[in-house]
């Protein structure tokens, strides 16, 4: 065997090894625990999703799933953490309409770009919202709430999980369409506002069913309507805001999705999308999601990316129309 022949064979072997390494690396993922960053406090819809899928996701990926609540700044603290993490699939964002779309239309300055700095993995669920009032408010319908608010401008206040949150935008859209004056009181998460709402320190809230309906069932709050275009399958007797308040076209629903840092390898992206699709098809997981008022969606990364861009455009216009831009 000549030196040239040996050299060519060595070169070919090296090329083959280089081609095999990415495949082996992709097959090895994940080889350690995966973090799910929840950019809101415990007790809200985003946290509820993470905890509903955690056990099944751990089984599917074969690694522990660690949930970390990194709340603050309408979810931007947690989202920024993920945006700046290594694109290796071990740090994932449980994002929602605020962190992935609304914030981009509301805030003039953001520490991350939801399109450029994050990789969409999958849209996970739609979140059913409900309009509730504390028992001390003398209304039982949306129409009565509008009439009472107009007769008492500035007397009512509504709570949200923070300025720029989906709850904030849902209420501001309601105010704009009804011409009412209801004062905004931002909280650090949905869980924090529930106590004040039950106590009557604030009187109104648009929030997820999982947070509000247990209080409604206990008689501590009164549900007036749901925010979606259609009635909730779990609570068919509760009308929509559009039909109960004479507000055709009103719709306030939230959504969630998984995102990873930009630059995530396609093999890992595919693995994660398949894992979340499998988990959400599990009957037990679907039951937990339904209990929390979360409706599974699914789909591919490209589909989710297009949806995020369309939602940014939609909520940017809404923010401009109702004057909800923030620094």
């Amino acid at each position: 065997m000549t030196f040239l022949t040996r050299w060519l064979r060595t070169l070919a072997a090296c090329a083959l090894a280089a081609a095999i390494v990415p495949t082996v690396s992709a097959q090895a993922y994940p080889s350690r625990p995966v973090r799910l960053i929840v950019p809101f406090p415990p007790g809200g819809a985003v946290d509820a999703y993470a905890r509903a899928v955690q056990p099944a996701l751990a089984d599917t990926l074969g690694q522990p799933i660690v949930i970390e609540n990194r709340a603050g700044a309408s979810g931007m603290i947690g989202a920024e953490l993920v945006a700046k993490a290594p694109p290796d699939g071990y740090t994932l964002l449980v994002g929602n309409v605020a962190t992935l779309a609304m914030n981009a239309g509301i805030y003039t300055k953001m520490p991350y770009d939801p399109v450029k700095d994050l990789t969409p993995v999958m849209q996970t669920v739609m979140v059913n919202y409900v309009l509730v009032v504390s028992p001390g408010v003398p209304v039982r319908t949306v129409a009565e709430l509008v009439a009472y608010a107009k007769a008492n401008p500035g007397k009512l206040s509504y709570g949200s999980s923070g300025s720029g949150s989906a709850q904030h935008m849902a209420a501001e859209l309601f105010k704009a369409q009804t011409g009412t004056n209801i004062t905004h009181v931002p909280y650090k998460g949905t869980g924090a506002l529930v106590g004040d709402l039950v106590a009557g320190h604030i009187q109104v809230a648009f929030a997820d069913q999982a947070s509000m309906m247990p209080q409604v069932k206990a008689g501590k709050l009164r549900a007036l309507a749901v925010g979606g275009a259609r009635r909730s399958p779990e609570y068919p007797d509760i009308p929509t805001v559009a039909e109960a308040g004479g507000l055709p076209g009103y719709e306030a629903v939230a959504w969630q999705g998984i995102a990873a840092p930009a630059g995530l390898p396609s093999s890992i992206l595919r693995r994660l999308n398949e894992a979340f699709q499998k988990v959400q098809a599990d009957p037990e997981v679907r039951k937990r999601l339904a209990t929390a008022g979360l409706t599974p969606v699914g789909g591919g990364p490209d589909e989710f990316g297009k949806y995020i861009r369309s939602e940014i455009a939609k909520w940017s216009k809404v923010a401009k129309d109702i004057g909800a831009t923030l620094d």
Side-chain angles (χ1 to χ4, degrees), residues 24-50:
V24 172
S25 297
Q27 291 174 343
Y29 173 84
S31 59
R32 64 178 191 269
V34 175
R35 295 193 300 166
L36 288 184
I37 304 300
V38 174
F40 300 98
V46 179
D47 185 71
Y49 174 82

Side-chain angles (χ1 to χ4, degrees), residues 43-164:
V46 179
D47 185 71
Y49 174 82
R51 298 185 190 281
V53 303
Q54 182 185 32
L57 187 62
D59 290 342
T60 299
L61 291 177
Q63 290 291 336
I65 303 299
V66 180
I67 298 173
E68 294 185 17
N69 295 87
R70 297 294 186 94
S74 189
M76 289 191 287
I77 290 176
E80 182 187 12
L81 185 155
V82 176
K84 294 181 177 179
D88 54 13
Y90 291 100
T91 305
L92 305 176
L93 174 69
V94 187
N96 71 343
V97 62
T99 53
L100 296 174
M102 281 184 177
N103 288 346
I106 296 172
Y107 289 91
T108 56
K109 297 178 182 178
M110 285 181 63
Y112 67 96
D113 185 314
V115 174
K116 296 179 180 179
D117 298 333
L118 294 169
T119 297
V121 175
M122 189 182 87
Q123 185 179 2
T124 53
V125 294
M126 298 300 292
V127 183
N128 299 319
Y129 267 27
V130 60
L131 168 60
V132 297
V133 295
S134 57
V137 181
V139 304
R140 294 190 173 275
T141 67
V142 175
E144 289 180 358
L145 173 63
V146 172
Y148 184 82
K150 287 184 175 180
N152 300 275
K155 182 176 180 179
L156 296 177
S157 58
Y158 76 89
S160 82
S161 58
S163 296

